[in-house]
Amino acid sequence: MKIDHSLPLEYSTEENRLKVLGFWIFLGAEIMLFATLFASYFTLVDRTGNGPSGAEIFEITPVLIETVVLLTSSFTIGLAVHAMRLGNKKAMLSFFAVTLLLGAGFLAVEISEFVHYVHIGAGIQTSAFTSILLTTLGTHGAHVTLGFFWGLSIMLQVAKRGLTPETANKSFIFSLYWHFLDVVWIFIFSFIYLKGMM
Amino acid sequence: MDFFHRFAVPHPNPAIYASMVAIGLTVIAIVAGLTYFKKWGYLWREWLTTVDHKRIGIMYLISALLMLFRGGADALMMRAQLAVPENTLLDAQHYNEIFTTHGVVMILFMAMPFIMALMNFVVPLQIGARDVAFPRLNALSFWLFFMGAMLFNISFVVGGSPDAGWTSYFPLAGNEFSQSVGTNYYMISIQIAGIGTLMTGINFMTTILKMRAPGMTLMKMPMFTWSALIANVIIVFAFPVLTVALAMGTMDRLFGTHFFTTNNGGMDMLWANLFWVWGHPEVYILILPAFGIYSEVISTFARRNLYGYKSMVASMVIISLLSFLVWAHHFFTMGQGAVANSIFSITTMAIAVPTGVKIFNWLFTLWKGKIEITTPMLYALLFIPLFTIGGVTGVMLGMSAADYQYHNTMFLVAHFHMVIIPGVVFAMLAGLTYYWPKMFGFMLNEKIGKLAAWIIAVSTLLAFMPMFFSGLDGQARRMYTYSEATGFGPWNMVALVGALGLAAGFVLIVYNIYYSTRYASRDISSDPWDARTLEWATHTPVPAYNFAVVPQVNSIEALWDAKKKGHVLFKGKYEKIHMPNSSGVPFIMGVIFFIWGFAFVFAIWPLVILSTIGIFACMAHRSFEKDHGHYISVEQIEEIEGTETKLRGAN
Ligand code: HEM
Ligand SMILES: [Cu+2]
């Protein structure tokens, strides 16, 4: 394995560069996935059948908490990558841990929000609107959940093996994923919640 | 009893029981054969765990050929049923299942893997790479495709086949009208195979963008590689749409959501839109690599470089963009209004322009060429006129006002078969014959090959031209029978003859494979066609590492210019080569996905949870695993290169 020391660790081998590009292309596919969900959401948003509309069920407080928590976590994963570039493993792992904790916090709020929706009669089977709403939110939430476990396994590897081209590459790719989830959330926040509450 | 009842076929008939027995016997024969010849270890080490793009390509090829016969059997049954009026060979339900599985199998499990086969085998060789960017992922892609295909195929004997057409329109495909598990199979098996395809798209985009030999700029890439690149870009943008649509369809059927239902706000047209936003680009995912093959074949056997290289590339880029803007031509008559119809009509017809550019480029290449008619070239030459018939009738269908006449008639069926058979199937057969010596080290017999090509071409005309006329007369598609008074009888009889001819042609190709395997000379050079691109610059059979020394490229037709202008392709000494290790994980993950899919189809939730955990366990295993591959030493390279040369005689 040839290592190019003039580049940051995550780009330092041929294989690593391939992986980063491959992941960007994967994110392109993810954009299409969420774009399709959004397009379907806009198509179905007013088709509430006998169920409630968005304005009737959305609540601003949990959504604001989710937003703040997730935005902060995107910031802390950035700090983790920064610490990684400086070669500070301890700081990196700490920021990584904070990121995952915030992610878990986000999930906790989101789950309680879902329970609440089901409770007030806006379950996934209620109408086309609730079906697409919960599917779109759920897809994002599932991504965060997956990210949580993925991040955890990367943390373990960094802790055990240190900062190698391999672990650095994984951490960096994870940070791309996490930022991406944040961007998707901003769309969800603006076009589903804010627009729905207006 | 209830347990068995769930897995029983809802509309059994003797043909289904016969296939059950046949499947059982085949499985027993394979298992017994492998055990008797002690081939389990070989199978596992050399094939099931391989990450070599060439072997993966060959596995795709075998699967595609098998599926061609499955889909072909369906086609023959349909044609036999329709051959005479008021026929009772099949009942309506059975006919529904057959046209559904025929369409799905042909498009997704025959044409797609055929493309993937050639792409996998050829692209890394053509760009002078050692493998694809992510060899393991490539193996996983194959196994996901394969398990998806197998899951779809067992629907026939376990639980019942889908019967709502390959487009699976809702509400027909919803629980109310499709009560058997057939449509669950459709949704889930295509989902599994589709995920594999998406990963192939990412893998090959990365490979082509990053792993080209030094000197091969984008505008020096061979045409097949260009077509593969563009097809993969389309895959990355189109397949996620299908993923979402299939997930929604699955949820409607299994979890009672209301995406496509007719009550509680559901919208069946949303399915039609999502399906075709994927479905139309899918057509170009198939046809562009086929065009790539024709470009290689035509320039090789016209002994001339391709006319209008740049316009070939530009036309493919334009086609890929337009392909996303025409989807609604599939439902002109479903009430979307005149403005929408006009817009989609115009974008549809616009695609004819870049396609025409390509046809003229091929004609100009032929014009001044020294044409040598080999089997691949024969397919290419037959393709041009036949495909033009399909293309012109496509423009007719693209006129939305006129489509009210043709819609859902046999005219449409004739059109897309005249596009897809000369376009895709001929190209794949041409590619198969062309690359056969590189894959297996001997040529297919030219005499038998040409005879098969002629039979297939004539039979295509016989099978599908009559449908244009009966379609214009009003014969609807997907109708299992018609009355004597309609006068469709004779047309359909001719079509049956054509279909039998096609079957004969395909059987002849299989015979050719058998015949050539036995009798063809093994003493062929590594470049038997006197070709022009890099894949012919390495040994036959190709060593695991493809090229002992990475080639240096100075022109579009690297090998040709090395032969004629004395460009030096291989400079420098041997160095040790890094190669990935084989791995059983992709195969095991594929098997778990199969179980997952099966459990989903029958809503066996504990098993779904268990296999989901299994899938994630495989991913975690991969994440923690330390596998840095292995090196092939200089001595080993020298040995391999030495024996290869000896094996092939002086060359
Ligand atoms: C080998 C010769 C073939 C014959 C004789 C044949 C025959 C037929 C017939 C009769 C139908 C109409 C069913 C109906 O609407 O009632 C049909 C539909 C179809 N065929 Fe083929 N076919 C052949 C090859 C292919 C190939 C190679 C492909 C694709 C690569 C293909 C793709 C389809 C599709 C997508 C449909 C539409 C199914 C539907 O209506 O839902 N066929 N074929
Ligand atoms: Cu189309």
Side-chain angles (χ1 to χ4, degrees):
Chain A
M1 205 59 46
K2 261 192 248 112
I3 301 179
D4 182 345
H5 291 287
S6 67
L7 291 169
L9 219 44
E10 67 268 22
Y11 284 106
S12 60
T13 68
E14 177 71 44
E15 197 182 328
N16 280 1
R17 290 192 288 274
L18 285 176
K19 283 190 174 150
V20 173
L21 176 68
F23 197 77
W24 275 109
I25 298 173
F26 171 74
L27 286 184
E30 288 272 71
I31 290 174
M32 282 308 290
L33 185 104
F34 280 103
T36 310
L37 285 171
F38 278 113
S40 308
Y41 179 82
F42 293 129
T43 314
L44 299 177
V45 63
D46 294 325
R47 304 176 69 100
T48 50
N50 299 322
S53 71
E56 292 169 61
I57 59 171
F58 291 156
E59 286 174 22
I60 189 75
T61 324
V63 176
L64 274 179
I65 298 174
E66 285 167 325
T67 308
V68 171
V69 167
L70 206 61
L71 285 181
T72 316
S73 79
S74 200
F75 180 62
T76 53
I77 194 69
L79 292 177
V81 168
H82 191 67
M84 180 177 89
R85 290 248 169 99
L86 296 176
N88 188 340
K89 179 174 141 188
K90 218 163 138 204
M92 176 206 170
L93 282 177
S94 315
F95 283 124
F96 222 112
V98 174
T99 307
L100 294 186
L101 279 178
L102 289 169
F106 170 87
L107 283 173
V109 181
E110 183 157 68
I111 290 169
S112 78
E113 192 191 333
F114 278 18
V115 172
H116 172 69
Y117 287 152
V118 174
H119 207 72
I120 58 172
I124 199 163
Q125 302 173 332
T126 308
S127 69
F129 164 68
T130 60
S131 295
I132 187 67
L133 173 71
L134 292 174
T135 303
T136 310
L137 297 177
T139 307
H140 177 266
H143 274 74
V144 177
T145 314
L146 184 82
F148 180 81
F149 289 106
W150 182 19
L152 215 56
S153 88
I154 291 175
M155 274 185 68
L156 283 175
Q157 289 173 41
V158 174
K160 246 179 36 198
R161 298 176 192 167
L163 286 174
T164 65
E166 222 180 356
T167 53
N169 184 244
K170 287 182 184 182
S171 312
F172 180 72
I173 287 177
F174 175 79
S175 78
L176 292 180
Y177 179 78
W178 201 260
H179 289 312
F180 171 75
L181 292 185
D182 205 35
V183 174
V184 172
W185 179 261
I186 292 171
F187 277 86
I188 292 181
F189 177 70
S190 331
F191 293 106
I192 293 186
Y193 286 115
L194 287 187
K195 194 162 170 291
M197 277 184 268
M198 272 188 317
Chain B
M1 255 345 264
D2 200 43
F3 182 75
F4 291 105
H5 189 73
R6 289 178 71 196
F7 301 110
V9 179
H11 310 279
N13 72 22
I16 292 177
Y17 290 129
S19 355
M20 279 185 194
V21 175
I23 291 174
L25 289 179
T26 318
V27 171
I28 293 171
I30 292 174
V31 171
L34 284 171
T35 313
Y36 182 78
F37 292 107
K38 299 206 174 50
K39 288 290 186 200
W40 285 106
Y42 166 78
L43 188 69
W44 175 258
R45 276 190 312 276
E46 303 291 325
W47 295 95
L48 300 187
T49 60
T50 188
V51 294
D52 181 336
H53 70 97
K54 299 177 286 294
R55 298 221 160 159
I56 292 175
I58 288 171
M59 291 195 289
Y60 269 117
L61 185 67
I62 295 170
S63 325
L65 289 173
L66 282 176
M67 289 295 112
L68 177 69
F69 281 89
R70 155 81 214 256
D74 285 343
L76 283 180
M77 284 201 269
M78 281 192 283
R79 284 317 338 168
Q81 163 65 21
L82 290 181
V84 289
E86 326 263 11
N87 200 354
T88 53
L89 183 67
L90 305 175
D91 56 40
Q93 172 62 26
H94 198 184
Y95 191 84
N96 291 350
E97 293 176 9
I98 287 178
F99 72 64
T100 303
T101 51
H102 166 76
V104 176
V105 165
M106 284 299 198
I107 300 274
L108 285 152
F109 301 130
M110 188 286 283
M112 278 302 266
F114 223 135
I115 302 281
M116 295 296 177
L118 291 176
M119 223 161 67
N120 261 286
F121 191 85
V122 177
V123 166
L125 291 173
Q126 210 165 45
I127 63 176
R130 292 259 146 83
D131 204 324
V132 295
F134 312 113
R136 270 248 200 141
L137 188 70
N138 199 23
L140 181 60
S141 295
F142 170 75
W143 289 113
L144 288 184
F145 146 73
F146 184 80
M147 295 300 167
M150 288 302 118
L151 186 64
F152 188 80
N153 273 282
I154 63 162
S155 72
F156 188 32
V157 289
V158 186
S161 287
D163 55 4
W166 87 284
T167 51
S168 213
Y169 281 157
F170 284 80
L172 181 59
N175 284 331
E176 192 185 343
F177 298 107
S178 290
Q179 282 154 357
S180 84
V181 294
T183 304
N184 297 355
Y185 271 114
Y186 173 99
M187 297 284 161
I188 290 157
S189 60
I190 296 179
Q191 185 73 283
I192 294 174
I195 295 169
T197 307
L198 177 61
M199 293 192 305
T200 303
I202 296 170
N203 206 343
F204 275 79
M205 261 183 86
T206 314
T207 307
I208 298 173
L209 290 177
K210 279 275 192 180
M211 295 176 71
R212 279 167 285 129
M216 185 182 281
T217 57
L218 281 179
M219 290 312 276
K220 285 200 180 87
M221 285 197 314
M223 199 47 75
F224 179 67
T225 298
W226 254 116
S227 68
L229 175 62
I230 296 185
N232 285 303
V233 173
I234 306 180
I235 286 177
V236 169
F237 285 101
F239 268 77
V241 182
L242 180 69
T243 302
V244 172
L246 290 170
M248 289 177 174
T250 310
M251 287 168 71
D252 266 11
R253 291 185 57 85
L254 292 174
F255 304 145
T257 52
H258 291 285
F259 293 107
F260 311 128
T261 57
T262 42
N263 58 355
N264 283 321
M267 188 179 184
D268 47 7
M269 278 310 287
L270 180 62
W271 168 268
N273 276 285
L274 293 179
F275 182 86
W276 286 112
V277 168
W278 161 79
H280 196 86
E282 164 69 11
V283 177
Y284 290 91
I285 296 169
L286 298 176
I287 200 80
L288 290 178
F291 286 171
I293 291 284
Y294 286 131
S295 299
E296 300 293 343
V297 165
I298 287 176
S299 67
T300 299
F301 297 112
R303 305 275 169 238
R304 218 170 152 247
N305 53 7
L306 198 64
Y307 182 90
Y309 178 88
K310 282 186 190 148
S311 59
M312 282 299 218
V313 173
S315 64
M316 282 197 290
V317 175
I318 295 169
I319 289 176
S320 71
L321 296 175
L322 282 176
S323 73
F324 281 95
L325 302 176
V326 304
W327 78 89
H329 64 208
H330 293 275
F331 33 87
F332 280 149
T333 61
M334 297 193 201
Q336 63 191 340
V339 176
N341 272 1
S342 310
I343 292 170
F344 284 102
S345 211
I346 290 164
T347 49
T348 301
M349 286 191 266
I351 291 199
V353 178
T355 313
V357 168
K358 301 185 83 68
I359 302 266
F360 279 107
N361 280 335
W362 289 316
L363 290 177
F364 283 129
T365 309
L366 291 167
W367 185 253
K368 289 219 178 108
K370 271 212 310 280
I371 297 175
E372 181 188 349
I373 300 187
T374 58
T375 308
M377 186 64 158
L378 185 58
Y379 280 114
L381 294 176
L382 290 167
F383 146 76
I384 294 176
L386 296 193
F387 182 81
T388 306
I389 299 176
V392 169
T393 50
V395 177
M396 290 168 71
L397 286 160
M399 292 185 271
S400 60
D403 190 57
Y404 278 82
Q405 170 70 17
Y406 318 126
H407 183 68
N408 266 349
T409 67
M410 288 315 245
F411 186 90
L412 171 91
V413 176
H415 148 70
F416 78 66
H417 283 90
M418 286 305 289
V419 177
I420 213 160
I421 293 183
V424 181
V425 180
F426 282 23
M428 294 305 115
L429 296 176
L432 173 79
T433 325
Y434 186 60
Y435 285 111
W436 190 272
K438 204 42 30 183
M439 290 180 183
F440 300 106
F442 59 93
M443 312 270 284
L444 289 175
N445 184 287
E446 278 287 292
K447 251 204 197 120
I448 307 178
K450 281 185 205 161
L451 180 64
W454 277 112
I455 294 178
I456 289 176
V458 173
S459 307
T460 303
L461 282 171
L462 273 180
F464 297 106
M465 293 307 281
M467 293 188 208
F468 282 120
F469 304 112
S470 71
L472 286 178
D473 268 356
Q475 185 185 359
R477 80 198 271 217
R478 300 181 180 173
M479 288 254 299
Y480 86 109
T481 194
Y482 50 87
S483 74
E484 174 100 55
T486 55
F488 301 149
W491 293 126
N492 285 287
M493 186 50 92
V494 178
L496 171 66
V497 174
L500 289 170
L502 273 166
F506 291 124
V507 171
L508 195 57
I509 288 175
V510 173
Y511 173 72
N512 192 1
I513 292 176
Y514 163 78
Y515 178 89
S516 310
T517 308
R518 283 199 66 166
Y519 302 112
S521 159
R522 297 309 195 261
D523 185 20
I524 56 165
S525 80
S526 59
D527 178 21
W529 304 112
D530 195 11
R532 312 172 80 86
T533 37
L534 275 184
E535 67 270 31
W536 304 99
T538 183
H539 297 297
T540 299
V542 188
Y545 47 74
N546 293 352
F547 297 93
V549 176
V550 175
Q552 306 270 328
V553 176
N554 305 309
S555 62
I556 296 174
E557 302 189 301
L559 177 63
W560 188 254
D561 291 333
K563 287 191 279 196
K564 298 288 149 165
K565 295 189 191 153
H567 291 186
V568 182
L569 280 179
F570 301 104
K571 292 183 202 135
K573 294 199 304 286
Y574 294 154
E575 277 174 47
K576 64 177 181 173
I577 295 173
H578 181 252
M579 296 301 291
N581 288 333
S582 301
S583 164
V585 179
F587 175 73
I588 293 170
M589 234 172 128
V591 173
I592 302 179
F593 257 102
F594 180 89
I595 298 169
W596 179 85
F598 187 83
F600 232 104
V601 168
F602 289 95
I604 311 170
W605 302 118
L607 193 55
V608 170
I609 295 169
L610 217 64
S611 43
T612 309
I613 294 173
I615 292 166
F616 283 113
C618 286
M619 286 163 70
H621 171 269
R622 172 61 171 152
S623 178
F624 281 98
E625 179 188 32
K626 273 188 179 164
D627 178 1
H628 294 297
H630 61 277
Y631 281 95
I632 301 180
S633 68
V634 174
E635 295 82 63
Q636 278 168 313
I637 301 171
E638 273 164 358
E639 193 189 321
I640 295 170
E641 295 287 306
T643 42
E644 301 277 9
T645 321
K646 256 179 264 149
L647 276 178
R648 282 181 299 104
N651 181 259

